[in-house]
Structure formats: structure tokens, C-alpha cells
Amino acid sequence: MIITGKQLVGYSRSGKGTQQFESQVTGENGKPFLFYEATTEEVATAVQKAQEAFDVSRGLSGKQLAAFLEAMAAELILALPTVIAVTQQETGLPAKRLEGEMDRTTKQIQMFATLLTEGSWVNAIIDPAIPDRAPLPKADIRQMQRPIGPVAVFGASNFPYAFSVAGGDTISALAAGCPVVYKAHPGHPVTSELIGECILKAAVATNMPEGIFSLVQGTSHETGRALVTHPAIKAVAFTGSFNGGKALYDVAAQRPEPVPVYAEMGSVNPVFVLPGMLQEKGTAIAQALVASNTAGTGQFCTNPGIIVSLKAEETAKFLADFCEGINGAAGSRMLTDNIYRSYTGGVERLRQIAGMQAIGAGTATAENNSAIPHSFLISGNAFLSEENMYEEVFGPASIQVMASNTNELYEIADKMPGQLTVTVWGTTADLENFKSLIFLLEKKAGRLLLNSVPTGVEVTHAMMHGGPYPATTDSKYTSVGSTAIYRFTRPVCYQGFPEFLLPEALRNENSLNIWRQVNGGFNKDSL
Ligand code: NAP
């Protein structure tokens, strides 16, 4: 394993910085690998190369870009054993979990390759000319999605593959034909360099232009700011904490030319357990929620952090079952020192809230930064009297909220800010009785779940992993699933163009055999 600790700037390696930081992984000499902090100049060179690459990548066919993605997935599979061993040391995540995440990551890359090969994702729309229309002739108007330009990507520490260097943000941007400059997370710099190298190998093998992908490392926020403020960057994708996402969003908004920032941030993913279902399956629901809340030491953005139910005779048993599960749960090493500090601080904050009762606590392991799972209880009334109750405590902590009546339950739902997910557990009768609750909750989240747990985000075409602010900075888009590609495209309309100047997808002959909207109807016909 060769680790340079340098920036991957196009096809060159660059280590011009005077500052270095240590990784948690040691080399053969027993010393931690050292990484150069990227300089502003190196960030600018990476963006410059991305800008030049864009003039080539936007002319590539879907099949050429698909070949790049396929080659990348193959490189990652080849590198798997080395990468997993390293990531385990850097993150403390178990090998099995990492294998699963890598499988999901390569399948996600292949899904985008299939999308590009099929080709209809470009949303070709053709309104043919009507030269003899009275009183004025109608021009020939055609539209399709085109890439937006070089994209800056920031990934989170809790998904070192799926939301990192070769994760959904990078892949959907590359699939759209946009070069990517990736700011590596300092929580896993060695993993980042290894995966960055896989992307570059695939790029070389498939004749991608230099600059299609670059990776810069750094612990200083300056690196990220320099990237976001570079005038050639045309969009930013961020996955991580609310503070990080909002800070970069604000930086981008102050640019002379503002650009879209797709920040996917934290969420508490409230769960409503309705009375009929609680009575019928209370114990099973409690067990499912404990498992979901403590999986991966609670370090999932879809972790169910708030569980709301109506006070009733059966609720005591449900709470007892939930506490039993939490008391028996063991946390483990958290991803980074910062995340551990912020988790213990968050638990302390919950303890201090008026009316909050600590009702369950699990155990920690002997590892450094090992988290203890916690469970709290608060009345609906006390919950509603406090501000910031929906703030994320990233880790295995949850709050049971006991509403004293239906009105209170609706108020709790109404007060909720934007979320990635909201879950309802209910029998058919419950769902009939609480139909208006579901209607209300639709305003609050990107994904609504029934009788399930929110952790485990499927990578599918219909997935929506996003939601109203503060879950994200743009509720219209998902960061998971094939429609994530539309964050990095913009519609371009071609009016009165001759055949030879039109992109292939819009020509009369449908040589790509894609679905197109012609005069308002969908078909695969040639004109
Ligand atoms: P993070 O601390 O926000 O870091 C993400 C990246 O942004 C890092 O590269 C970080 O660099 C950079 N960054 C953060 N603040 C910055 C600033 N002010 N200026 C410039 N760069 C900045 O995220 P994390 O703690 O690793 O991830 C955990 C969080 O991510 C949780 O809240 C979780 O819910 C959320 N998450 C959300 C999703 C989703 O899809 N919505 C998925 C996974 C995780 P530095 O480390 O150098 O600051």
C-alpha cells in the first residue's frame, strides 16, 4: 500500500503545503501516515483542471461516462481487502458493516452506469415546429438536461464509502458529466487517498480528461472555503453536520455568483407509534426501534431520535420494553474525537432540560471514545414548552415523548422542523383515525415510512433522501438514488436548431432509442 499524503490534483500528486496532519493508520515504520494540508493554490489548480476537463466531459456520450463508472466499480472491488483493513482502523467500524457499505457503493456506481447506458434520464422534450400556424408560425423547440459544471463535494465521516470519495454525490455529479473536486474528510484520509486513486485509475483507463476528478485533503476549514468560493465551481454537494453544511451554504451565498449548495445534514427522524399498533405489537416495535437507534453506535443520519406515543395503559409496557433493550445495548468507539465529544455534550444537554427523565442507559466498551446508549422520557407538554427539542444528538440517544392527548400529538407533529424521514406505526384502523396526521407529516419530511424503521436507505430510483430545511438546504432534491443526478444538471432549450447542431438525444432520428416527450406524449419514435 503506497500512501503519498498528497493532494490528487488531476493526474498529478502535489504536496506544497507547509502544514501536515496525522492519520490514525500507521505505515510499515509504525508511524502514522502524514497528510499535507492542501494550499489555496493547490485547490485553485484542481478547480482549474476541472474547468478544462468540463469542456471535454460535457461532450462525452452516456456510454463513455458509463464505461468510466463501470471501471471505477471494478477498481474498488479489486482494492476492497486493502481498503477495508485501513478504514477499520480509521473509523472503528466493523469489517462486516464496511463490506456491506462497499457493496452498496459499487452497486450504486453500477446503477448510474446503467442509467447512462439506457439514456432516457436526460429528459429529452421535443416540440416540433409548426411553420403554418396562424397568426404566427411556431418555432422548433427542444430541451434536455445538460451538466452544470465543476462540482465541489464534501463527504461525511459516518459513511466512509457510500457518502464519501466515491459516494453518491461524486458519482451522480460524474454521471451528469461534471468534473468533481472532492474535499476529503480528515476522519479517514488514508481511505480517501486509496479510493481517490481507484477513481483516477478508472479515469485513465477510460480516457477521461485530466481534471475529471481531484481530491484535496485538509483539517482546516480554509480548504473547504477556498473550494466553495472558487468562481469556476458551479455547484456544491455536502453531506455532514448541520453546522458544517450551513456554514458552507452561507459562504456560497456570499459569492459574487451564487451557486446551488445541496447540503444533506442531520435529522432526528421522529417516529409516531399510534395506539392500536402499540397495543398490538408494542414489544416488537420497541425492539425494532432499539435496534435501529443503536445500530452502528447510532451514527446514522436516519437514526430515530424522537419517539412519540399517546399516554395509555399499554404505553408503560412499551416504555419498559424499550428501556430493557437500551439497558442491554452496548455502544462502541465513535468515528472521531469530535463526534464523541459532541455526543456526550448532547446527552448532557438533554439531561438538563426541564421535565426530562433519564430512563435507560446501556454500556460502553473499553475502547477509546466508546459511546453509552441513552434513553430519555419527557411529557408532551414539557416537550412543547422547550425550544430546540428537535436538535440532533448524533449517536445512540433517543427521547420518548408522551403526549397526553391527540391534540398534543398533533401539536408535536406541527412544531417539527424539516426531517429526512418521519415514521408512523399504525394498524389500518389507526391510519384511518390519524389520516390527517399523515397529511400533516407529508409537509415535514422527504421520506414517510409506515410500520418500519428509518435506518437503511435503499439505493433505488424512487428513493428520496432529503427533506425540508434544516434536514437539507434544498428540499427538491435527493442525494441517494438515480434522481440525485438532477442536482448537477440544468435544462437547456435549443430553439430553431438544425439537426447537425443538436445533441444526439434531440435529433429527429432517435438513434439512442430513449424515451422522449414529443408534443406532450412519451415514446421512443423517430420524427
Ligand atoms: P462534518 O463534521 O460536518 O464534516 C463534513 C465535511 O465538511 C468535512 O470534510 C469537514 O471538514 C467539512 N466541514 C465541516 N464544517 C466546515 C466548515 N465550517 N467549513 C468548511 N468545511 C467544513 O460531518 P461529520 O461529523 O463527519 O458527519 C456526521 C453528521 O453528518 C451527522 O450530523 C449526520 O447526521 C450527518 N449525515 C447526514 C447524512 C445525510 O444524508 N443527510 C448522511 C451522513 C451523515 P473538517 O472535519 O475539517 O471540519
Side-chain angles (χ1 to χ4, degrees), residues 29 32 43 70 86 111 116 166 207 225 232 284 334 337 380 422 515:
N29 60 4
V43 171
E70 290 285 7
V86 160
M111 178 190 74
L116 296 183
N207 298 316
R225 276 200 212 110
M334 297 196 89
D337 293 348
V422 173
W515 287 99

Side-chain angles (χ1 to χ4, degrees), residues 157-158 183 185-186 219 221 238-241 244 265 301 392 465:
S157 56
N158 62 330
K183 153 65 176 61
H185 198 293
T219 55
H221 288 167
F238 171 95
T239 309
S241 63
M265 304 179 284
C301 52
E392 181 190 39
H465 187 61

Side-chain angles (χ1 to χ4, degrees), residues 12 52 54 62 67 119 125 212 250 256 263 292 336 361 456 480 506:
S12 310
E52 286 159 18
F54 184 54
I125 308 174
I212 190 78
D250 291 343
S292 175
T336 62
V480 176
L506 294 177

